[in-house]
Amino acid sequence: MPIAVAETISELREITAEARFAGKRIALVPTMGALHAGHLALAQRACEIADLVIVSIFVNPMQFGPTEDIDRYPRTLLEDLKQLEPFGVSAVFAPSVAEMYPTGSSDTRVTAGRVGSLYEGHTRSGHFDGVLTVVSKLLNVAQPAVVLFGQKDAQQVFLVKRMIVDLNLPVAVEIVPTVREDGGLALSSRNRFLDVKEKRAARGLSIALEAAESSADRGIDAVLAAAQSVLMGEHLVQLDYLAVVDPQTFLPVDDVYQGRAIVLVAARVGSTRLIDNAAIFLATARS
Ligand code: PAF
């Protein structure tokens, strides 16, 4: 069956109402398009766990800051549809900005709180309010039983999960592991902006995370030093932040912390901003 493309909320609601009436389990994969194998892994997983899969493709102006060039964000709807075809996705929801924000920019918004102003939120002020607002709108529109996100956006995953708990939203969350190129670079719609040299340098992010992981049994200082030393060796990589956080709170761990942690890294490579993360187990305290 060809993928149905709904451009309006009422078109999508017709599709979901029918499916719900037929007792189908609905999954939503929110994206901003420019799909790559990471998104396709989400679509594939969604098709395994649900009967009707909706992929939303919406470049959300509310999550872009005034200095971020939203017009530079790639828009490739026809190519995206072609890529989704083999997976059994039922519908793509591709609304206009006016459809999603009929009163202009939404004055009513979901705020991401303290964690929303750290790491990505520190560099991109207001970004996560925009993400949470649009995700809550998409959940209201599609009313899926399950929504899927990629682990690459670890802070987004944390904040969305917390919003779902805080606002008692009736939806399960499924997280899909990061898909990487050979050489380790995490797939991102932004990778297309990297030239050959920048791409080689960008691999430094995942190499730094591997170095962090293999130093985890020597405590947090060793983790940070190992990652930093890899990144400092890449002159095209301009580090934005490197942090080790507690997965329960997403706050930085202190030097006596032991247990599961996430290493976050963000850097600019040329004019392209990249993020990545890795789970580690901090086994010993700082000596
Ligand atoms: O991860 C993204 O692509 C976006 O932040 C999302 C979740 C689709 C919201 O616009």
Side-chain angles (χ1 to χ4, degrees):
M1 273 248 289
I3 300 175
V5 180
E7 291 182 351
T8 64
I9 292 169
S10 59
E11 279 164 10
L12 186 72
R13 285 199 167 138
E14 253 177 57
I15 295 171
T16 54
E18 225 173 80
R20 222 168 274 116
F21 187 71
K24 291 186 177 170
R25 184 169 201 245
I26 300 173
L28 172 68
V29 179
T31 80
M32 297 207 297
L35 302 184
H36 51 66
H39 297 113
L40 301 180
L42 293 172
Q44 183 171 15
R45 179 69 188 139
C47 292
E48 284 164 13
I49 61 175
D51 311 303
L52 182 107
V53 173
I54 301 158
V55 174
S56 65
I57 295 183
F58 179 62
V59 183
N60 173 34
M62 211 180 145
Q63 68 188 75
F64 287 80
T67 59
E68 293 175 338
D69 191 0
I70 186 171
D71 295 331
R72 192 183 182 219
Y73 204 89
R75 284 145 171 100
T76 55
L77 182 60
L78 290 180
E79 182 55 29
D80 293 345
L81 287 169
K82 236 187 267 163
Q83 291 205 74
L84 289 171
E85 243 159 44
F87 292 93
V89 169
S90 313
V92 160
F93 178 48
S96 64
V97 172
E99 181 71 11
M100 286 303 281
Y101 295 108
T103 61
S105 86
S106 178
D107 273 346
T108 307
R109 52 189 63 200
V110 181
T111 59
R114 179 171 171 216
V115 172
S117 65
L118 303 174
Y119 325 115
E120 282 306 282
H122 180 71
T123 306
R124 307 180 68 191
S125 174
H127 169 70
F128 286 116
D129 291 2
V131 169
L132 293 189
T133 302
V134 83
V135 170
S136 63
K137 284 163 77 71
L138 291 167
L139 291 174
N140 286 334
V141 169
Q143 298 186 8
V146 58
V147 62
L148 293 91
F149 293 93
Q151 179 57 32
K152 187 179 89 65
D153 298 304
Q155 189 176 5
Q156 171 170 282
V157 164
F158 174 86
L159 290 168
V160 167
K161 279 184 171 173
R162 201 185 55 183
M163 171 182 77
I164 285 169
V165 171
D166 285 349
L167 301 185
N168 308 100
L169 302 180
V171 63
V173 184
E174 176 98 4
I175 306 305
V176 173
T178 303
V179 179
R180 297 179 182 280
E181 291 185 1
D182 291 347
L185 177 63
L187 293 192
S188 159
S189 306
R190 295 201 166 108
N191 291 357
R192 69 186 67 201
F193 299 128
L194 300 168
D195 66 26
V196 176
K197 277 191 192 149
E198 289 170 343
K199 201 164 208 185
R200 203 173 307 127
R203 291 188 191 131
L205 271 70
S206 61
I207 296 170
L209 292 173
E210 277 167 24
E213 226 175 317
S214 37
S215 308
D217 58 349
R218 289 184 287 121
I220 183 165
D221 281 356
V223 164
L224 293 170
Q228 259 153 4
S229 107
V230 173
L231 294 166
M232 274 159 50
E234 291 290 354
H235 71 281
L236 290 178
V237 173
Q238 245 185 300
L239 182 62
D240 180 356
Y241 61 81
L242 175 67
V244 183
V245 303
D246 177 345
Q248 299 304 317
T249 61
F250 230 78
L251 296 174
V253 300
D254 60 24
D255 52 12
V256 293
Y257 181 89
Q258 297 193 24
R260 287 190 325 111
I262 304 175
V263 187
L264 307 174
V265 64
R268 203 166 269 285
V269 183
S271 61
T272 306
R273 204 163 167 284
L274 300 173
I275 61 172
D276 202 351
N277 69 86
I280 60 168
F281 191 88
L282 276 174
T284 61
R286 182 149 65 176
S287 54

